[in-house]
Amino acid sequence: MALNATFRAVVCVFFLTHIPATILMDSQAILPASMVPGFAKELLAFHIDRHHDPLMAQQPVWFKSLILFEILFQLPFFFVGFYAFYMRRNWVRIPGIVYGVHTATTLLPILAEITYSKAMPTKQARTVLFYIYLPYLIIPALIALLLALEEKPFGKAGDAGAVQRTGDKAKRR
């Protein structure tokens, strides 16, 4: 059974909104301050002040390593993934599984840090921050799960534009 339109729309919005979040916010954990626009610095400062985010405030080395992979691997995939889900391309299945598993896995230590950090001023602040990060675990995990369960996630129509190899010749479908 092909992925439904609602899930496809959620994934497309997720990828599109994650692009500026990665570039403007998360990248600040590893980029030199001179490369970050002033408004992005202010946005991050607002987030840290408002949500008491210990990871973005303290930026431990292990967190920076996850951000590096977000920029090198996930950011390019946001564009590829958006295109593939929007255009209903079945070739995204394996890359989507890899993306989803990788991303969901990186969120486990992040959510654990939020859950057990002594830097959180109140239980309410901890809960709010936890729920801000939670979609970045749930949506990629669902992407991985649903793509793993469906050999042709977008049905036969999802093979449009795929190259079929027969003998020495490649034919476009």
Side-chain angles (χ1 to χ4, degrees):
M1 187 168 112
L3 299 178
N4 72 41
T6 302
F7 182 71
R8 282 184 41 249
V10 167
V11 170
C12 286
V13 169
F14 176 79
F15 286 145
L16 285 179
T17 59
H18 210 152
I19 293 166
T22 297
I23 293 169
L24 296 174
M25 299 284 285
D26 298 350
S27 67
Q28 291 186 56
I30 63 169
L31 290 178
S34 61
M35 292 183 65
V36 179
F39 77 92
K41 291 177 188 175
E42 291 172 12
L43 189 59
L44 180 60
F46 172 79
H47 166 74
I48 292 169
D49 184 55
R50 172 79 180 197
H51 299 111
H52 310 283
D53 188 335
L55 295 170
M56 291 307 290
Q58 299 162 5
Q59 302 175 351
V61 172
W62 67 265
F63 182 69
K64 288 181 179 186
S65 70
L66 297 181
I67 297 299
L68 179 64
F69 273 91
E70 179 180 356
I71 291 168
L72 295 178
F73 169 65
Q74 294 178 34
L75 181 60
F77 186 78
F78 298 150
F79 295 94
V80 171
F82 171 79
Y83 172 81
F85 273 80
Y86 184 78
M87 298 300 290
R88 300 179 180 143
R89 298 295 187 234
N90 285 328
W91 52 256
V92 78
R93 181 174 181 253
I94 299 303
I97 293 169
V98 172
Y99 161 78
V101 169
H102 163 77
T103 303
T105 302
T106 65
L107 263 293
L108 294 176
I110 290 170
L111 291 173
E113 181 67 27
I114 291 166
T115 301
Y116 298 107
S117 174
K118 293 180 178 21
M120 299 304 295
T122 65
K123 185 177 179 179
Q124 180 183 1
R126 180 184 316 279
T127 302
V128 167
L129 188 60
F130 185 90
Y131 283 112
I132 288 171
Y133 277 92
L134 190 60
Y136 299 99
L137 166 70
I138 292 173
I139 294 172
L142 283 173
I143 290 170
L145 176 65
L146 294 175
L147 291 178
L149 293 174
E150 194 63 50
E151 186 176 346
K152 293 193 181 279
F154 302 107
K156 288 188 179 191
D159 290 331
V163 175
Q164 179 182 18
R165 301 235 175 244
T166 54
D168 292 305
K169 295 184 178 184
K171 290 192 243 177
R172 279 235 176 253
R173 290 197 244 179

